Amino acid sequence: MTSVNDQYRNGARTRSHADPDVDSGEIRARVHADFPRTVDMLSRKIALKSISSQGIAGAHMRASADFVAEQLREVGIDTQVVQSTNPDGTDGAYEVVGSRIVDPQAPTILLYAHHDVQPVPDPAQWSTDPFVATTVGDRLFGRGSCDDAGGIAIHRGALHALGDELPVNIKVFIEGEEEMGSPSFIPFIEAHREQFAADVIIVADSGNWAPDVPSLTTSLRGNTTMDVTVKVLEHPVHSGQYGGPILDAHTLAAMLVASMYDEHGELAVPGLQSQEPVGGLQRDLDENSVRRDAAVVDSYRLAGTGSLAARLWTQPSATVIGIDAPAVDDSFNVIANQTRIRLSVRTAPGQRPEEAQRALREFLTTHAPFGAQVEVTPLDNGMGWAMDPDAEATKDATEALREAYGVDPVNKGEGGSIPFIPELQRIFPKAQVLVTGPEDPISNAHSPNESVSLSGLRNDIVAEALLLRALGR
Ligand SMILES: [Zn+2]
């Protein structure tokens, strides 16, 4: 049997199931012909050193925004650079905003990427100059090559490939402060809600399963944080005199935390939800790779049950990220009267974090070991996010990726969060948010030797062009 992949490798032309009128070969040819221009754009963008942590309102960020605005203008988007205002009233980031309205009745697509990049604390850790784009084999190295100049390249390339055949209205938002946590992005969008309203939002700031295996990012876990105080005595006492019947606050806190888990190391807190990977699991994560990437000691057995993907993407997890206790070198023979721990809990994508926080609080305050006093102080909550696997736009995106890459996409989740995505979804509840992007497991976003796969990027551009055509049906 010939797989789709083989057909592609053999050069046979396949037609999109999403839109029989689309000649994907023609789109592919245009993307290939334009690709030297794509690489040139990436190279010039990398050279701009748009490090937002060196001042989001700095001249270097203005230059980066101007450059991106110009690049998008060349593919037909009416762009401008606007400066947002920080929540404290000071000058904020330079954002590139724009639109192209082809038909008021046609669907409207908002394209998101960001033009700021992570800093480079130690260039000596790089094999190439981080701000001189350098091609090695199939990869282009440089700070921002994948995160997120690659995202900008996908949008620009797709719009170029469609040219005057663009069947949808386009709005763009290329952010200038994503790497700083987007302090003014959401207030800006909320203040200009009408201007950015869209049927589909494509966030090109994530990535693929592998350079030759595409993905949609289907979910992000939420998070909730709380401080837990455990008190057993009004003041510390001598551990020789009272040790035995009176357990110290650190031991009691450890018992309390341990009581949240079952014998498999899975969180067993009533009301804390768990779910299976959104859109189904096409391929599980490889345990050896996870162990190697996280540098797990050989003897350690991974906790929990179910697929590794579910454990990392869609099941809840709890981490003690802080504990008030004397450092070992400063310790004495006393029974600690009280202690405080900070719990950071990742929540299932579909559960409201406030609800998870309430469930945890209820559990912790009713499971105090030996009746110790337990107080829970709720802190921050951040909503997770889950793609709608049954939405038309999702199916169109999956089909476009399959067509572009010649293989079936493998969905992936994120254990961490991209805070602005649930916020965008909150502001535009009816919009379908699609999370794509040029990264892959060896892209090293945020790390030394960041790179993007050139073949993957080319396919991502083809996919987005096919997707935009399908959405215009
Ligand atoms: Zn990014």
Side-chain angles (χ1 to χ4, degrees):
M1 203 182 105
T2 313
S3 71
V4 177
N5 194 19
D6 293 333
Q7 286 175 23
Y8 169 55
R9 292 231 168 87
N10 296 338
R13 203 175 72 187
T14 52
R15 280 188 169 270
S16 167
H17 303 292
D19 182 349
D21 297 325
V22 169
D23 185 334
S24 66
E26 172 62 23
I27 294 277
R28 189 182 297 280
R30 290 180 196 166
V31 171
H32 279 241
D34 183 53
F35 203 64
R37 182 73 185 69
T38 298
V39 173
D40 176 63
M41 189 281 279
L42 271 179
S43 306
R44 290 161 65 196
K45 177 72 188 71
I46 289 165
L48 289 172
K49 303 186 183 178
S50 53
I51 302 169
S52 46
S53 63
Q54 292 178 353
I56 55 170
H60 67 303
M61 296 309 298
R62 171 83 211 203
S64 167
D66 284 342
F67 174 76
V68 173
E70 179 58 31
Q71 296 299 310
L72 293 174
R73 224 169 274 137
E74 284 175 14
V75 291
I77 308 298
D78 182 14
T79 54
Q80 45 176 316
V81 173
V82 295
Q83 189 168 23
S84 64
T85 305
N86 291 321
D88 67 3
T90 56
D91 287 343
Y94 291 106
E95 326 281 17
V96 181
V97 302
S99 64
R100 179 171 174 194
I101 306 302
V102 297
D103 174 0
Q105 304 306 316
T108 298
I109 319 301
L110 172 62
L111 304 178
Y112 171 93
H114 61 88
H115 70 89
D116 64 326
V117 301
Q118 281 279 316
V120 177
D122 184 6
Q125 293 181 327
W126 287 64
S127 313
T128 62
D129 185 329
F131 296 106
V132 176
T134 309
T135 302
V136 181
D138 181 49
R139 302 195 75 88
L140 182 87
F141 286 83
R143 176 52 92 221
S145 55
C146 73
D147 184 17
D148 189 24
I152 298 169
I154 292 172
H155 295 325
R156 194 208 73 89
L159 292 168
H160 178 272
L162 292 174
D164 287 334
E165 295 157 31
L166 183 70
V168 290
N169 301 315
I170 295 291
K171 296 179 177 179
V172 299
F173 194 107
I174 311 295
E175 194 192 351
E177 53 171 6
E178 196 276 340
E179 304 296 2
M180 302 292 290
S182 310
S184 58
F185 171 51
I186 290 301
F188 187 91
I189 291 275
E190 279 194 296
H192 303 82
R193 193 183 284 251
E194 288 307 309
Q195 193 183 337
F196 296 106
D199 301 292
V200 176
I201 303 174
I202 303 178
V203 176
D205 190 21
S206 185
N208 295 309
W209 189 269
D212 55 355
V213 181
S215 300
L216 283 177
T217 298
T218 56
S219 67
L220 309 167
R221 285 195 289 195
N223 65 281
T224 179
T225 312
M226 65 207 70
D227 284 351
V228 184
T229 302
V230 178
K231 181 175 174 182
V232 56
L233 299 167
E234 294 299 336
H235 56 78
V237 295
H238 190 274
S239 59
Q241 194 176 355
Y242 291 104
I246 301 174
L247 300 178
D248 66 275
H250 303 123
T251 298
L252 292 165
M255 287 174 158
L256 179 61
V257 171
S259 72
M260 293 163 58
Y261 294 89
D262 68 13
E263 71 273 25
H264 305 292
E266 197 160 81
L267 279 174
V269 174
L272 200 55
Q273 286 174 14
S274 187
Q275 66 191 91
E276 285 301 311
V278 174
L281 181 65
Q282 287 87 33
R283 207 184 291 184
D284 199 4
L285 294 166
D286 173 53
E287 178 169 338
N288 288 330
S289 307
V290 171
R291 297 185 73 99
R292 189 191 57 230
D293 295 348
V296 180
V297 297
D298 286 345
S299 58
Y300 181 77
R301 299 188 311 280
L302 299 186
T305 58
S307 68
L308 201 46
R311 280 181 270 168
L312 287 167
W313 301 340
T314 52
Q315 292 180 9
S317 69
T319 306
V320 176
I321 59 169
I323 180 160
D324 287 344
V328 170
D329 289 341
D330 302 329
S331 56
F332 295 97
N333 287 327
V334 293
I335 297 178
N337 58 317
Q338 81 171 46
T339 187
R340 186 177 60 139
I341 59 173
R342 181 158 295 176
L343 264 186
S344 165
V345 176
R346 300 290 170 167
T347 54
Q351 182 165 38
R352 290 218 61 87
E354 306 81 41
E355 186 185 289
Q357 194 175 54
R358 277 196 298 276
L360 284 153
R361 186 183 198 173
E362 169 70 16
F363 182 90
L364 293 166
T365 51
T366 55
H367 285 72
F370 298 96
Q373 266 181 31
V374 173
E375 269 175 39
V376 175
T377 307
L379 302 171
D380 302 342
N381 287 314
M383 187 60 199
W385 171 81
M387 180 187 82
D388 176 357
D390 300 319
E392 272 310 305
T394 307
K395 292 174 184 163
D396 287 341
T398 302
E399 186 54 43
L401 288 168
R402 179 181 293 126
E403 181 81 22
Y405 276 79
V407 296
D408 285 336
V410 173
N411 288 340
K412 67 190 191 70
E414 289 282 346
S417 38
I418 307 177
F420 72 83
I421 290 179
E423 286 292 297
L424 272 180
Q425 190 75 81
R426 177 180 61 77
I427 298 170
F428 303 114
K430 291 207 185 86
Q432 291 301 324
V433 179
L434 299 170
V435 182
T436 64
E439 290 177 31
D440 61 48
I442 54 170
S443 281
N444 288 352
H446 296 207
S447 304
N449 300 314
E450 178 179 345
S451 69
V452 69
S453 159
L454 293 171
S455 57
L457 183 64
R458 214 159 31 219
N459 287 334
D460 285 331
I461 296 171
V462 172
E464 187 163 300
L466 293 175
L467 171 59
L468 293 176
R469 279 180 84 153
L471 292 173
R473 257 191 335 254

